[in-house]
Amino acid sequence: MDRRTFVAVTGGVLLGLAPMLRAQGQAATRRIGMLSAFARAEVEAFIALLRPELEKLGWTEGRNIAFLELRTTEGRNERLLSMAGELVAEGPDVILVQSVPATRALMQATKSIPIVMVGVGSPVELGLVADYRRPGGNVTGASYLADESARKLLQLLKEAAPRLRSVAVLANPTNDAAAAYVRQMRADAAALGMQAQIVDVSGPDDFEAAFAAIRRANAESIILPPEPLIRSKRGAIADFAQAHGLALAVVGSSRYLPAGGLISYGPTTAQYAQMAAGYVDRILKGAKPGDLPVEQPSRFELALNLKTAKALGLTIPPALLQRADEVIR
């Protein structure tokens, strides 16, 4: 075979392989979906933290991974089943999920696509996974013990304001995590010599009635849980608390402590992004979700707002200030 013939044959072979090579390149791009009930801006902020964590592990958007369109119900749990079905129909390689109701919706929609929880509270206790060490099924991810986080925040609130005798506990009854949370908060408040006033909110139009109920109950403080609907209204809740001289305590990191809030406690979003990236990496490399232990954050952040404390007539104990990761002055 002379050189001209070799070049012609080789060129023909490469042309014939081109469609196959393109197909392989397309197949190598793994697709990541996300379903959440939190506000879109909040979820987009999480994804912005997730991208660089994935890049550290060799997964770059536009090269070997692609994010599907973000789906979030903005606190509307009744829309989760339909959104979960739409997302599953796109056939992603892995799906990230936030909140207990969103996880349940995905579990109904698929038994095969890997699901990675991002900060979902008490998954074993609520029946989302069988065991923390071997979750089984197609669900794993980063979780936290919701009751313990709320209990710790309540203790810190009482330490910051020892004279508090009552607390309004906001809860969303359409979230199936609410029942256990309410029971525990009643017990924890009683153990601290406080009375818990449970205030239900099922939709965005329920908050004015909730505020009126808090006023009628003469509550002295408010606990704001990391529940999508309730967190979406944290600005209005903080304005109400500030207007009526109520101490507002937020379960979560300092980024969720609004102006006018007194105290927050919880894991950071950056930590969840790092943990989620690790799960995605292992799953895309062939690990089965059911074999990956459910992990919990190891770092919790305490933030205190001294401006709010002063407005409420509180003097934060020095020992508590020393333990704070962030102090807003």
Side-chain angles (χ1 to χ4, degrees):
M1 181 184 295
D2 60 25
R3 181 176 181 276
R4 184 176 301 173
T5 303
F6 174 78
V7 170
V9 171
T10 304
V13 170
L14 290 175
L15 286 173
L17 285 174
M20 185 183 302
L21 292 172
R22 284 196 299 270
Q24 289 176 347
Q26 292 169 355
T29 299
R30 315 302 293 277
R31 301 194 302 163
I32 302 172
M34 181 149 195
L35 179 66
S36 179
F38 287 97
R40 178 170 293 274
E42 185 174 324
V43 186
E44 289 175 345
F46 167 77
I47 293 176
L49 293 171
L50 176 65
R51 285 190 176 98
E53 294 297 335
L54 287 170
E55 287 183 2
K56 292 175 186 177
L57 299 171
W59 301 100
T60 302
E61 190 173 12
R63 183 173 64 85
N64 54 6
I65 59 169
F67 283 91
L68 299 179
E69 179 185 355
L70 165 64
R71 284 177 167 81
T72 176
T73 65
E74 304 271 353
R76 299 279 192 171
N77 288 331
E78 68 274 12
R79 297 171 55 199
L80 284 168
L81 279 176
S82 62
M83 279 197 175
E86 292 170 2
L87 180 53
V88 166
E90 292 193 46
D93 295 284
V94 61
I95 301 175
L96 298 164
V97 65
Q98 294 175 316
S99 87
V100 171
T103 306
R104 287 205 195 281
L106 277 176
M107 291 173 69
Q108 291 185 46
T110 179
K111 303 296 183 186
S112 57
I113 298 175
I115 298 170
V116 174
M117 300 179 294
V118 180
V120 173
S122 306
V124 172
E125 293 77 1
L126 294 172
L128 300 178
V129 297
D131 185 81
Y132 282 105
R133 287 178 294 181
R134 289 189 66 85
N138 62 322
V139 181
T140 188
S143 74
Y144 71 100
L145 296 178
D147 294 345
E148 287 189 11
S149 295
R151 178 187 303 120
K152 180 64 175 179
L153 175 64
L154 195 60
Q155 292 170 348
L156 291 168
L157 174 62
K158 183 69 172 179
E159 190 174 344
R163 295 183 181 179
L164 285 180
R165 294 291 178 266
S166 61
V167 58
V169 178
L170 291 167
N172 180 0
T174 72
N175 187 327
D176 55 353
Y181 165 73
V182 165
R183 286 195 301 270
Q184 191 62 52
M185 289 301 291
R186 286 188 190 277
D188 293 339
L192 292 170
M194 302 173 71
Q195 181 178 4
Q197 174 71 27
I198 309 302
V199 183
D200 287 341
V201 285
S202 301
D205 297 330
D206 293 345
F207 283 85
E208 287 303 321
F211 295 156
I214 292 172
R215 292 293 296 152
R216 287 194 301 270
N218 293 318
E220 300 170 313
S221 58
I222 303 174
I223 290 283
L224 196 158
E227 201 284 327
L229 172 65
I230 296 171
R231 184 180 280 175
S232 72
K233 294 292 185 179
R234 66 181 183 273
I237 295 168
D239 289 344
F240 168 78
Q242 191 170 25
H244 296 282
L246 308 180
L248 175 62
V250 177
V251 182
S253 67
S254 61
R255 69 179 298 159
Y256 301 117
L257 181 63
L262 175 65
I263 186 172
S264 67
Y265 175 79
T268 66
T269 306
Q271 187 176 187
Y272 278 135
Q274 185 179 43
M275 296 169 76
Y279 280 106
V280 170
D281 175 59
R282 285 174 284 177
I283 288 170
L284 293 184
K285 289 176 178 175
K288 295 180 180 180
D291 296 334
L292 298 177
V294 174
E295 299 175 359
Q296 295 179 15
S298 58
R299 302 186 303 274
F300 287 77
E301 182 180 78
L302 169 63
L304 293 164
N305 189 329
L306 293 187
K307 291 181 180 179
T308 300
K310 183 178 180 180
L312 294 172
L314 298 174
T315 300
I316 304 298
L320 185 58
L321 279 174
Q322 290 175 1
R323 286 151 51 198
D325 300 280
E326 182 176 351
V327 177
I328 302 167
R329 299 181 184 276

